[in-house]
Amino acid sequence: MQTVDATSAAGEPSAGAPAVHRYAFWVAAAVVVALDQATKTVVRSTLERGEAWPSEDWPVRIKHVTNTGAAFGILEDQTAFLIVMACIGLAAIYVYYRNPPFNHWTATLGIGMLLGGAAGNLIDRVRVGRVTDFIDFPNFPSFNVADSSINVGVAIIVIGYLLFEMRNEQTPPADEDG
């Protein structure tokens, strides 16, 4: 991975394939938003709030629940505050994308997933006033595609950083004399 030193003054990657990185970022974000909104629309149109499918015997179910708070129900009924915080979060994610601590496709993909997840839940808060959750495991709070993409995006960034940074530390520097 390349450190920040390998980026241009504008924050765009100066080496490698910057166009591919830009497209990967925006495509990842758009795919997450599209999947998130499509799945939430299907759940809202086919299940009443509180209704689940299939039966309780299944280890994973689709259950229509809503959340007016943040993760795990904290800050319940603080929609305006959460909308403002989500906008600040989206701006921070974009700044992080433009000025990453390392320049690798894993960072681009992970950060795009973070942006898409945050945007997906923000859309729900603005349009519906609450976030629709539907993936239901026993003894675990329900969640949605946006929540999942945020967690997977963070994991991709961390694992990518660890794997590629370790690889770069193990690779001896090239001899510049010839």
Side-chain angles (χ1 to χ4, degrees), residues 112-155:
M113 291 178 75
L114 290 174
L115 185 78
N121 282 339
L122 176 61
I123 290 168
D124 269 18
R125 287 190 199 289
V126 170
R127 281 185 47 223
V128 187
R130 59 180 47 102
V131 174
T132 300
D133 293 325
F134 58 89
I135 303 169
D136 186 53
F137 285 90
N139 305 315
F140 194 79
S142 296
F143 56 97
N144 57 43
V145 172
D147 300 334
S148 299
S149 75
I150 291 169
N151 287 303
V152 170
V154 169

Side-chain angles (χ1 to χ4, degrees), residues 35-46:
L35 284 173
D36 180 63
Q37 291 301 299
T39 55
K40 289 173 179 176
T41 298
V42 168
V43 167
R44 284 191 293 257
S45 65
T46 58

Side-chain angles (χ1 to χ4, degrees), residues 2-173:
Q2 298 169 345
T3 61
V4 175
D5 298 337
T7 60
S8 68
E12 284 297 319
S14 59
V20 171
H21 284 229
R22 265 194 312 279
Y23 295 130
F25 172 76
W26 291 113
V27 167
V31 166
V32 168
V33 169
L35 284 173
D36 180 63
Q37 291 301 299
T39 55
K40 289 173 179 176
T41 298
V42 168
V43 167
R44 284 191 293 257
S45 65
T46 58
L47 296 174
E48 293 295 322
R49 208 175 298 163
E51 187 179 3
W53 177 87
S55 68
E56 290 187 26
D57 299 339
W58 288 68
V60 179
R61 299 181 312 155
I62 305 299
K63 182 176 182 181
H64 184 181
V65 296
T66 58
N67 182 2
T68 60
F72 306 110
I74 62 171
L75 298 173
E76 193 169 334
D77 295 324
Q78 299 296 315
T79 304
F81 173 74
L82 292 170
I83 288 171
V84 169
M85 295 310 296
C87 291
I88 292 170
L90 287 171
I93 291 167
Y94 185 72
V95 167
Y96 188 78
Y97 157 70
R98 296 286 298 198
N99 302 291
F102 61 97
N103 178 22
H104 195 272
W105 68 269
T106 56
T108 302
L109 178 65
I111 297 167
M113 291 178 75
L114 290 174
L115 185 78
N121 282 339
L122 176 61
I123 290 168
D124 269 18
R125 287 190 199 289
V126 170
R127 281 185 47 223
V128 187
R130 59 180 47 102
V131 174
T132 300
D133 293 325
F134 58 89
I135 303 169
D136 186 53
F137 285 90
N139 305 315
F140 194 79
S142 296
F143 56 97
N144 57 43
V145 172
D147 300 334
S148 299
S149 75
I150 291 169
N151 287 303
V152 170
V154 169
I156 288 172
I157 293 167
V158 170
I159 291 169
Y161 178 77
L162 292 174
L163 289 177
F164 293 108
E165 197 61 29
M166 283 185 213
R167 183 183 301 158
N168 285 347
E169 288 176 4
Q170 293 173 355
T171 305

